Amino acid sequence: MFRFEDPDEAIRAVGRRLSVVSSEPIDLSVDRVLASPVVADRDSPAADVSAMDGYAIRMRLLDRDRVEICGEARPGEPPPPLHD
């Protein structure tokens, strides 16, 4: 369907199909209110999952019946210290 020799050619092809509808400096939007709500036409992310959810466990602990949770990494916070 689309064949391009390199990524720059693809970007130029997309650019030729775009046009500026209107623009104004961003500082003019201060204290403005939308006339109607902005609603997305699809969920983002598309599924109720995160690519970064999960657990980390040391292989030598897998043979135990219970493994203690020793830390939690929350978004925007530094990672917890590693324990031996």
Side-chain angles (χ1 to χ4, degrees):
M1 183 172 175
F2 297 104
R3 294 194 121 150
F4 302 105
E5 294 295 320
D6 58 60
D8 290 333
E9 184 182 348
I11 291 170
R12 285 190 296 274
V14 169
R16 287 190 293 272
R17 299 184 65 173
L18 299 177
S19 63
V20 176
V21 183
S22 67
S23 67
E24 60 184 40
I26 190 70
D27 59 330
L28 294 179
S29 64
V30 174
D31 293 327
R32 289 188 176 181
V33 178
L34 294 174
S36 61
V38 175
V39 180
D41 64 350
R42 65 188 68 104
D43 290 341
S44 179
D48 292 334
V49 297
S50 169
M52 296 300 152
D53 284 350
Y55 294 90
I57 187 167
R58 296 183 190 275
M59 292 296 291
R60 63 181 158 76
L61 300 178
L62 287 177
D63 62 348
R64 298 184 180 184
D65 290 333
R66 289 180 57 137
V67 177
E68 178 185 346
I69 295 174
C70 63
E72 180 179 0
R74 294 179 175 252
E77 294 182 2
L82 295 176
H83 302 281
D84 240 354

